Amino acid sequence: MAEQEASGLQHLLSTIQNSHDKEVILNVLSILTGLLSIGTDRRIHYMISKGGSEALLQALMNAAQTAQPDYNILLPLLRLLAKVGQRDRKFGQKVQKLEAIDVTLSLARKNLTHHLNLIHCLWVLRVYASSVSAGTKLGINGAMELLFKVITPYTKKHSRTVRAAIGVLAALLKSKSNSRRAVNRGYLCELLRLYQDWQRCDASNRFIHIRRGLLLCLKHITNIQSARETFLGAHGMEILFTSVQDCLDNKPLDPIVTTVSQILRKCFPKRPLPLATLHSSYCFSLPGSVVSELPRGGPEDDYEDDGEEEVEKDLHNEEVERKEEDDDLETDVNKLNSKPDLDRPEDELQQYETMCPELSLTFQELETVTEDKKGSEEVPGSVRGTYSQVIPNAAVMKQQHRRHRDQSAMGPEPGETSFKTSVQNWAKKGKCTEAPALGKKAMGESARDIDALGEREELCRSQPPLLHHLLKEASWDTRMFHTHCASCFGPSPLGEVGASDIVTKLLERHQGNIPFHSPHFYMARAASTKSILDYRVLAFPDFWGHHPPPHNQCLLQRKDGVQRAKIFEDVRRLIQPGDVIDKVVFDLDECSPSITDAPDCLRFFSKFESGNLRKAIQVRRFEYDLIMNADVNSVQHHQWFYFEVSAMKPAIPYRFNIINCEKVNSQFNYGMQPVMYSVKEALCGKPRWIRAGYDICYYKNHYRRSAAAAGGVRGKSYYTLTFTITFPHGEDVCYLAYHYPYTYSTLMSHLDILEETRNPKKVYYRQQMLCQTLGGNPCPLLTITAMPETKSSSDLEEFSNRPYVVLMARVHPGESNASWVMKGTMEFLVSSDPIAELLRKCFIFKILPMLNPDGVINGNHRCSLSGDDLNRQWLAPSCQLHPTIYHTKGLLYYLCSIGRAPLVFCDYHGHSQKKNVFLYGCSIKETLWQAGCTINTAVVTEDVGYRTLPKILDKVAPAFVMSSCNFLVEKSRESTARVVVWREIGVLRSYTMENTYCGCSHGLYKGLQIGTRELEEMGAKFCLGLLIMQLKALPCSKKLMAQAAALLDLEEEIEDRWSQRSSSTSSLEIEDEPPFGEDIDYNTDSCSDQEGDFSELDEEIQQISMRAEGEREEEGAGEGQSCSFSVFGGFYISSQQAANSKGLPLPSVPLGVFAGCESSPA
Ligand SMILES: [Zn+2]
């Protein structure tokens, strides 16, 4: 049957190619037209696959190359060609092969005054032009000259022809060589003139299509640099910018405004960032290497030459990307399956024994452990001793590095010192005056009346509004935590004591306000934290603490047109520079702080732990461009920001633009807001980070990186994150950050609190030092499990035989969300919650809560002080350069070597592109399967247990979504913790946990932004998931099971729901963000309109055909056209009729020709 159908169609096609009988040809055309006018595109594709394009082209050649071309044949033929050709991906080749280009061009030339004929030719030329090679040929053969004869200034006559000609021109200008030719012949200026003319005369907006068509021509032509230069020289920016100013809010004109904004963005002169060097302001000399090998990248390099390469590749980008993704999958079964050799001598592993004190716990030790730990109490003096010693200056730091290097050369001594908190004692006394080692220098600057402050504080509680006024006068808050480096300032002669007393007073009031936070502990820990800049200033939020707001905050609804509006504001800087100030108001690279004291200007500051802001430029009165600092020893990884801003006016919307973002897209386009902390709010009892800011969007800007700085990639772009903030109070001190900050000192003080608050009779808790970081900070390692029930040897044995769970976080310093999740995990694990008790009885937890302390401290986003992404070093970590990774891997090796490889390994991360929380795991079978490998996966045996935990989490953790998980092993990730721990340590359940920065699109928190409460909950629920997993998998002791059953009646329910659900294995769903009214044009310069879509052309053809019979309107019937119209008339009878009435010499199958292929997978 199918064959017969095919042969029917082929018969038709061969007839039309070969016949010279007018009647026959007309009939076949009529049948084909009828067939293709209904049904889906599949019919057309079927016809293409049977040689339809070639047949029609041949027929065109036959009909056109006669002395007197017959337009009765040509017009329906051209319509068919336009319709079929646009759907034929190889049409361009076919057209060239059959040499149809010149024939069509000359047909058009002959019909310059015959508009109906001409418009048909133009449609087909447009389809030709959509192929780059055919388009280039058209350009060479004079197509553009022809078109400019048709495209006229404003006219009401023949506007359809003009429109069709503009359509061809726009398509032609997608080719670089055509664009060059057009620029050389002055067509760009001509296009600008034409656009201005149509824009001016078309007051009633009848010809939006034509105006937009001209803009599309400009948009394509300006893909080449010479065109952009010509455009700028011809005042194109001003002309286009001005032309849309009065129609910004006119909805029907949106396509015009959008296209104008795209052209303006593209032509905006490219510039390097306003920085002397892209290198991070912070430099750290590495052990073993003197000269930095960073790529040179100054503004002198070329950054303009970009954008041209992209154009002709655009079409297939998506396919390429998908292919690359699949190429990234590891398909070498041996690589997936085999375990590589140890990356170090075996006898090195023995040193890690000290990191597992739980394995050698003896009866005697147990005695001392359960005793109250008074014995370990330190003399208060030792605390102070620590301070004076540990606030290092740069020179001291370097010495320490050297010392560290020597140490590493001799082999590390990890775990040797039990890393004890040394702050408890003085803190317990509640004497803040014990702490002023920090206060003396850091808080010296302000001399204020303590009593007055006390009064204000009182007022704060009773009458907040009044207080704000008073606080404004005092403004102590700015100074207290915000004293610039001593090296810049020198100690203030005034009131050192006063400041610390203020702190004392405040803290007395504040005592115990925030669970698991102690300002005292924080201050003490911060004092011994080592940073490159030797920070002397505390950021208020870290010191004072954060208590999440009682209500969740919704994902921000994106305002329609916000991106466009922001872009026009940006362009206005160039065109109407009248109000542009362009003044640097903060610069990390400048030592002199004097620039910050201008009136009517915000003050910025970022020299504190985790701070990141390099430069602030006041652009307009209430608008600032901000530049983030690159990771230490790097020129990139800009994403994390955290800075202080003060001296604001009340009720003023301030616009902030962070102009050196690097990612091509951001959740800031999908409802995410940055976070803000107000000191005034905090003092009024609302100490909290909240999501803040509106008019938020993220888009590519005009700043470019030089090729050298971009690692060889030409002219890599920067992106702008813009947001507007109206501060809650005037004269406040506020902090803005990418996400809820969580510093190293926060972690260390949190650990202190955990140690203090746990029940030592029940909770076995050890804090050790894994190793020192390059920056000289201890990397903490925790061990948490349940104390043995009794001192009996069987209980001791049970104790040390519990399976291990290894958890870690914050290898990427910008992922502070991971720390909040880890905080939730740790708090839960040491808590008195009965589930936590069970958990401790089931497992020994080894926790590395912060694998990259130096990165966190110094405000990095991605790397360590060595400039390396530590989560890409797991295959062969360097003892010197990546000590935390080296020793974590060593510890895991050790556990493996004694037969105690962890049951579960999980590395907590943050994900900046997706919503929700999910896991990545490792599976050979799923990887091979996804890669489409033909390898017999039955040969590969694999336990599917890696799916259990995420499935459980999907049920118990509201933010968690199973469908976002995947278990693929990518080559590009082969050196990550997850993959290495899976392959080399042999941990089946080895995961990366990805936590959103943004919010949730599923479940209980759907539509909400994530807060610290939800993140902490996730950490706790992860533990619950572990417990359920264990109870399901292993035959636990009866007692345990009974306890569990009492606690977890949800277990049953979970079991039920699982069995109900179809166990669909394909969970590899790609999460697409919902579309907005506005195209989010954050990515490419030229691909976001719908020109590639031919439905417009189809519609146009249809319209003309339909109305041709009746009204002739503006198309002004010329001679020879009446004939054509009669042909039109015959067109809309059904093809069945046509076939019968004309008695076609064909088998009576034509309608059936496509019947089968509609549904068959052609
Ligand atoms: Zn990460």
Side-chain angles (χ1 to χ4, degrees):
M1 185 65 182
E3 259 172 47
Q4 201 184 2
E5 285 170 3
S7 75
L9 176 65
Q10 272 158 348
H11 196 103
L12 282 173
L13 294 176
S14 112
T15 306
I16 199 170
Q17 279 184 83
N18 301 317
S19 174
H20 292 275
D21 181 325
K22 178 177 172 179
E23 281 303 301
V24 172
I25 294 174
L26 278 176
N27 272 307
V28 176
L29 286 174
S30 161
I31 293 165
L32 292 175
T33 305
L35 288 174
L36 300 189
S37 68
I38 48 170
T40 65
D41 279 4
R42 186 166 268 179
R43 287 189 169 192
I44 299 177
H45 289 299
Y46 184 70
M47 180 165 149
I48 291 167
S49 75
K50 294 296 169 195
S53 303
E54 290 89 338
L56 292 173
L57 284 167
Q58 189 55 55
L60 173 69
M61 303 295 280
N62 297 343
Q65 285 176 308
T66 55
Q68 283 292 314
D70 185 344
Y71 287 92
N72 291 325
I73 292 176
L74 278 171
L75 295 191
L77 188 55
L78 289 166
R79 283 196 295 270
L80 267 178
L81 264 174
K83 196 160 185 171
V84 173
Q86 60 179 290
R87 290 167 175 85
D88 185 348
R89 301 192 85 177
K90 297 193 172 141
F91 197 61
Q93 291 168 26
K94 295 173 186 172
V95 168
Q96 291 186 82
K97 199 171 161 202
L98 291 168
E99 296 174 337
I101 287 177
D102 284 337
V103 172
T104 316
L105 260 183
S106 87
L107 205 59
R109 279 198 190 95
K110 281 185 208 157
N111 284 288
L112 275 177
T113 54
H114 296 183
H115 284 277
L116 188 68
N117 296 351
L118 179 59
I119 206 168
H120 279 75
C121 296
L122 292 173
W123 289 334
V124 173
L125 287 173
R126 173 168 166 192
V127 177
Y128 293 175
S130 65
S131 139
V132 174
S133 55
T136 307
K137 185 93 186 289
L138 277 169
I140 293 168
N141 292 359
M144 288 193 290
E145 290 75 3
L146 171 76
L147 293 171
F148 272 99
K149 287 180 187 157
V150 184
I151 304 169
T152 61
Y154 179 77
T155 169
K156 286 183 181 170
K157 281 188 178 174
H158 314 305
S159 65
R160 283 178 187 281
T161 323
V162 174
R163 178 181 167 186
I166 292 173
V168 184
L169 184 61
L172 286 174
L173 290 174
K174 285 185 177 175
S175 135
K176 272 195 287 179
S177 73
N178 285 343
S179 289
R180 260 183 230 114
R181 182 172 289 108
V183 173
N184 292 339
R185 301 194 177 193
Y187 291 153
L188 193 153
C189 299
E190 182 64 22
L191 282 168
L192 266 176
R193 273 193 293 277
L194 286 166
Y195 169 74
Q196 269 183 296
D197 189 61
W198 282 89
Q199 179 76 18
R200 199 166 39 229
C201 300
D202 182 25
S204 54
N205 292 330
R206 270 186 71 199
F207 301 110
I208 292 177
H209 280 299
I210 288 183
R211 284 151 63 189
R212 175 152 185 269
L214 290 166
L215 287 172
L216 289 176
C217 293
L218 285 168
K219 179 176 154 180
H220 296 319
I221 198 172
T222 48
N223 279 336
I224 63 168
Q225 194 182 329
S226 61
R228 292 195 290 271
E229 284 163 9
T230 309
F231 180 83
L232 289 174
H235 302 286
M237 297 291 282
E238 291 85 341
I239 291 170
L240 295 199
F241 181 84
T242 319
S243 77
V244 293
Q245 287 315 301
D246 51 358
C247 51
L248 290 175
D249 297 320
N250 188 341
K251 199 77 187 153
L253 294 182
D254 260 2
I256 289 188
V257 179
T258 301
T259 313
V260 164
S261 89
Q262 288 166 342
I263 299 170
L264 294 178
R265 284 174 76 181
K266 182 159 50 178
C267 296
F268 200 106
K270 307 293 176 281
R271 284 177 191 158
L273 286 172
L275 290 174
T277 169
L278 293 179
H279 288 281
S280 172
S281 296
Y282 301 160
C283 175
F284 181 83
S285 52
L286 292 172
S289 76
V290 188
V291 189
S292 148
E293 288 164 33
L294 286 169
R296 289 256 334 127
E300 73 279 2
D301 294 291
D302 82 299
Y303 44 84
E304 176 67 47
D305 189 21
D306 71 313
E308 301 195 17
E309 295 301 315
E310 301 166 24
V311 183
E312 301 193 7
K313 287 188 242 150
D314 278 346
L315 271 176
H316 304 296
N317 262 355
E318 211 173 297
E319 273 169 40
V320 173
E321 256 169 43
R322 202 173 306 135
K323 203 162 176 233
E324 276 172 2
E325 249 168 55
D326 279 353
D327 281 353
D328 190 28
L329 292 176
E330 181 57 76
T331 52
D332 182 341
V333 183
N334 286 330
K335 258 197 136 173
L336 288 167
N337 240 340
S338 69
K339 200 166 166 175
D341 296 333
L342 216 60
D343 68 1
R344 62 195 82 190
E346 208 175 326
D347 52 8
E348 252 196 40
L349 299 185
Q350 208 46 46
Q351 63 181 311
Y352 298 101
E353 195 182 347
T354 52
M355 291 189 200
C356 303
E358 66 279 5
L359 292 180
S360 51
L361 187 73
T362 63
F363 180 78
Q364 288 82 0
E365 277 174 277
L366 197 57
E367 295 263 83
T368 51
V369 165
T370 34
E371 291 297 307
D372 204 338
K373 313 182 297 142
K374 286 274 149 57
S376 65
E377 198 152 353
E378 289 161 41
V379 277
S382 73
V383 175
R384 240 173 294 151
T386 318
Y387 286 155
S388 50
Q389 185 191 352
V390 287
I391 301 184
N393 58 32
V396 173
M397 285 275 284
K398 269 187 198 129
Q399 273 178 356
Q400 275 160 347
H401 305 146
R402 221 167 291 133
R403 196 174 63 213
H404 177 66
R405 184 180 53 203
D406 298 345
Q407 226 171 36
S408 332
M410 291 182 290
E413 299 160 295
E416 154 199 64
T417 25
S418 182
F419 186 58
K420 278 251 166 61
T421 149
S422 50
V423 291
Q424 301 158 3
N425 305 309
W426 68 266
K428 268 184 212 156
K429 290 183 182 171
K431 272 286 171 191
C432 306
T433 39
E434 294 276 314
L438 183 90
K440 268 181 195 159
K441 280 180 181 170
M443 297 163 190
E445 237 245 317
S446 72
R448 304 295 168 195
D449 185 337
I450 314 154
D451 292 329
L453 181 83
E455 274 171 37
R456 282 173 203 127
E457 260 288 285
E458 277 310 321
L459 280 166
C460 177
R461 295 184 190 265
S462 50
Q463 294 171 288
L466 186 56
L467 166 85
H468 298 152
H469 178 68
L470 289 170
L471 259 185
K472 185 173 159 187
E473 288 168 7
S475 76
W476 57 271
D477 39 15
T478 341
R479 298 291 175 217
M480 183 170 62
F481 299 96
H482 170 174
T483 304
H484 297 291
C485 301
S487 60
C488 296
F489 256 41
S492 161
L494 296 170
E496 294 178 9
V497 182
S500 62
D501 282 352
I502 289 170
V503 177
T504 311
K505 280 231 161 198
L506 279 172
L507 287 180
E508 274 167 14
R509 290 166 194 285
H510 185 61
Q511 208 89 46
N513 271 1
I514 297 169
F516 289 101
H517 180 78
S518 154
H520 305 276
F521 282 23
Y522 186 84
M523 237 151 85
R525 282 301 186 178
S528 53
T529 294
K530 293 173 187 135
S531 57
I532 290 183
L533 273 206
D534 186 16
Y535 296 131
R536 302 298 183 89
V537 173
L538 300 183
F540 188 89
D542 302 315
F543 161 77
W544 195 252
H546 156 73
H547 195 64
H551 303 292
N552 291 91
Q553 292 177 272
C554 291
L555 289 166
L556 194 69
Q557 285 290 317
R558 190 183 166 103
K559 225 166 72 186
D560 200 30
V562 59
Q563 173 186 279
R564 218 170 59 188
K566 297 295 165 186
I567 285 165
F568 279 119
E569 271 187 45
D570 291 352
V571 171
R572 202 164 59 76
R573 297 188 196 179
L574 193 74
I575 292 167
Q576 299 165 354
D579 60 345
V580 173
I581 298 170
D582 246 339
K583 185 175 156 222
V584 176
V585 296
F586 173 74
D587 192 342
L588 209 53
D589 303 325
E590 284 286 329
C591 253
S592 158
S594 59
I595 45 174
T596 58
D597 272 343
D600 201 22
C601 169
L602 291 177
R603 280 202 292 273
F604 294 86
F605 187 70
S606 68
K607 291 177 190 173
F608 48 77
E609 193 177 342
S610 289
N612 189 322
L613 176 68
R614 180 172 194 167
K615 197 167 184 175
I617 302 162
Q618 186 177 23
V619 179
R620 297 187 179 101
R621 193 169 168 211
F622 300 117
E623 180 178 352
Y624 294 83
D625 278 358
L626 307 177
I627 299 178
M628 294 176 280
N629 191 18
D631 279 7
V632 178
N633 284 12
S634 153
V635 293
Q636 52 181 352
H637 307 298
H638 310 96
Q639 192 164 330
W640 172 258
F641 58 87
Y642 179 18
F643 57 86
E644 182 195 277
V645 56
S646 56
M648 62 281 285
K649 296 181 191 310
I652 295 284
Y654 287 93
R655 179 180 168 188
F656 297 98
N657 311 303
I658 298 186
I659 61 172
N660 61 339
C661 306
E662 289 169 275
K663 291 248 167 99
V664 294
N665 197 3
S666 163
Q667 284 290 321
F668 285 116
N669 274 332
Y670 305 99
M672 180 163 88
Q673 294 170 285
V675 295
M676 179 180 75
Y677 190 107
S678 151
V679 170
K680 280 194 178 176
E681 288 284 300
L683 295 178
C684 293
K686 288 185 247 168
R688 62 183 62 146
W689 286 101
I690 53 165
R691 300 278 186 170
Y694 51 94
D695 284 0
I696 299 176
C697 61
Y698 186 94
Y699 54 87
K700 191 191 258 186
N701 61 33
H702 68 283
Y703 292 107
R704 295 290 181 272
R705 260 203 288 186
S706 67
V713 183
R714 289 210 304 161
K716 204 176 159 190
S717 303
Y718 286 108
Y719 295 78
T720 291
L721 160 65
T722 182
F723 54 91
T724 301
I725 290 204
T726 306
F727 293 101
H729 308 283
E731 295 302 322
D732 194 357
V733 178
C734 288
Y735 292 79
L736 293 169
Y738 181 76
H739 194 76
Y740 309 97
Y742 190 100
T743 66
Y744 173 73
S745 302
T746 300
L747 169 71
M748 298 313 285
S749 60
H750 185 228
L751 296 184
D752 295 340
I753 294 169
L754 286 183
E755 172 134 32
E756 283 240 310
T757 53
R758 57 137 188 162
N759 177 350
K761 294 209 162 60
K762 290 191 162 177
V763 185
Y764 178 95
Y765 178 99
R766 281 290 173 286
Q767 185 181 322
Q768 292 173 287
M769 177 172 83
L770 176 78
C771 60
Q772 277 223 335
T773 64
L774 288 178
N777 292 292
C779 176
L781 163 69
L782 305 184
T783 307
I784 302 172
T785 186
M787 290 301 283
E789 299 241 320
T790 69
K791 291 162 194 169
S792 72
S793 61
S794 66
D795 274 349
L796 277 180
E797 199 185 321
E798 182 274 334
F799 169 85
S800 56
N801 276 331
R802 292 168 191 161
Y804 277 96
V805 169
V806 175
L807 306 176
M808 52 190 228
R810 215 66 192 282
V811 69
H812 292 145
E815 295 167 0
S816 59
N817 39 2
S819 275
W820 290 98
V821 178
M822 186 54 90
K823 178 173 187 275
T825 293
M826 295 187 301
E827 267 167 34
F828 184 71
L829 283 181
V830 300
S831 73
S832 57
D833 188 302
I835 292 178
E837 254 174 63
L838 264 180
L839 263 162
R840 290 192 299 261
K841 286 177 191 163
C842 285
F843 301 106
I844 300 170
F845 290 90
K846 286 275 178 205
I847 299 181
L848 295 136
M850 195 173 278
L851 270 180
N852 188 354
D854 296 340
V856 171
I857 293 164
N858 293 293
N860 280 6
H861 180 71
R862 185 84 182 173
C863 298
S864 68
L865 292 189
S866 65
D868 292 316
D869 178 343
L870 291 180
N871 201 30
R872 293 291 185 278
Q873 310 302 331
W874 277 77
L875 275 179
S878 149
C879 181
Q880 279 85 29
L881 293 177
H882 321 118
T884 60
I885 306 302
Y886 184 84
H887 293 301
T888 306
K889 195 177 177 187
L891 175 61
L892 286 161
Y893 269 141
Y894 173 73
L895 289 175
C896 191
S897 75
I898 58 168
R900 302 294 300 275
L903 183 72
V904 173
F905 169 85
C906 188
D907 186 12
Y908 295 9
H909 283 252
H911 201 296
S912 67
Q913 305 287 343
K914 288 188 170 178
K915 296 199 168 64
N916 312 309
V917 179
F918 47 94
L919 293 183
Y920 291 140
C922 304
S923 157
I924 300 179
K925 279 192 178 173
E926 293 197 30
T927 304
L928 294 176
W929 180 61
Q930 176 72 14
C933 279
T934 50
I935 295 154
N936 179 9
T937 54
V939 178
V940 184
T941 51
E942 187 173 67
D943 185 339
V944 293
Y946 62 86
R947 278 186 162 265
T948 313
L949 181 61
K951 272 174 158 179
I952 294 168
L953 292 175
D954 192 48
K955 303 298 170 298
V956 301
F960 192 90
V961 170
M962 178 71 183
S963 61
S964 294
C965 298
N966 86 47
F967 306 94
L968 306 177
V969 182
E970 301 94 341
K971 289 179 203 152
S972 60
R973 307 275 168 90
E974 69 170 4
S975 198
T976 61
R978 160 181 64 105
V979 175
V980 170
V981 171
W982 170 73
R983 205 161 72 95
E984 298 191 23
I985 314 294
V987 178
L988 172 72
R989 296 172 186 85
S990 174
Y991 304 105
T992 301
M993 192 206 294
E994 295 286 1
N995 296 281
T996 181
Y997 286 99
C998 175
C1000 293
S1001 62
H1002 287 70
L1004 191 62
Y1005 302 142
K1006 184 175 179 179
L1008 298 175
Q1009 293 186 77
I1010 203 109
T1012 55
R1013 193 189 288 112
E1014 291 71 45
L1015 292 167
E1016 291 186 40
E1017 179 195 35
M1018 185 62 229
K1021 289 293 169 76
F1022 182 82
C1023 299
L1024 173 61
L1026 287 171
L1027 181 64
I1028 297 174
M1029 179 195 80
Q1030 186 69 341
L1031 294 176
K1032 284 169 64 70
L1034 288 178
C1036 302
S1037 78
K1038 283 218 174 93
K1039 201 166 133 205
L1040 250 176
M1041 268 316 244
Q1043 276 176 287
L1047 286 168
L1048 304 168
D1049 38 341
L1050 72 165
E1051 239 255 299
E1052 287 282 304
E1053 192 194 334
I1054 287 164
E1055 203 72 65
D1056 287 349
R1057 273 199 271 166
W1058 279 355
S1059 49
Q1060 278 163 22
R1061 276 208 179 178
S1062 64
S1063 60
S1064 148
T1065 40
S1066 134
S1067 61
L1068 307 163
E1069 161 199 305
I1070 291 158
E1071 209 173 337
D1072 284 320
E1073 293 294 346
F1076 290 100
E1078 178 180 29
D1079 264 349
I1080 295 182
D1081 187 12
Y1082 47 81
N1083 197 351
T1084 59
D1085 282 322
S1086 56
C1087 282
S1088 62
D1089 54 27
Q1090 263 121 48
E1091 311 154 64
D1093 177 1
F1094 276 91
S1095 58
E1096 231 176 72
L1097 178 58
D1098 280 344
E1099 199 182 306
E1100 183 77 351
I1101 295 172
Q1102 178 90 347
Q1103 272 177 17
I1104 291 212
S1105 309
M1106 290 289 264
R1107 69 166 67 179
E1109 176 75 338
E1111 47 170 314
R1112 302 188 178 186
E1113 52 130 32
E1114 57 202 88
E1115 292 298 337
E1119 32 327 4
Q1121 287 198 345
S1122 51
C1123 170
S1124 315
F1125 283 125
S1126 71
V1127 176
F1128 274 142
F1131 249 92
Y1132 288 90
I1133 58 168
S1134 90
S1135 51
Q1136 187 69 52
Q1137 253 179 334
N1140 291 341
S1141 63
K1142 302 286 179 179
L1144 204 69
L1146 286 170
S1148 61
V1149 288
L1151 263 185
V1153 166
F1154 295 97
C1157 83
E1158 271 300 323
S1159 55
S1160 74

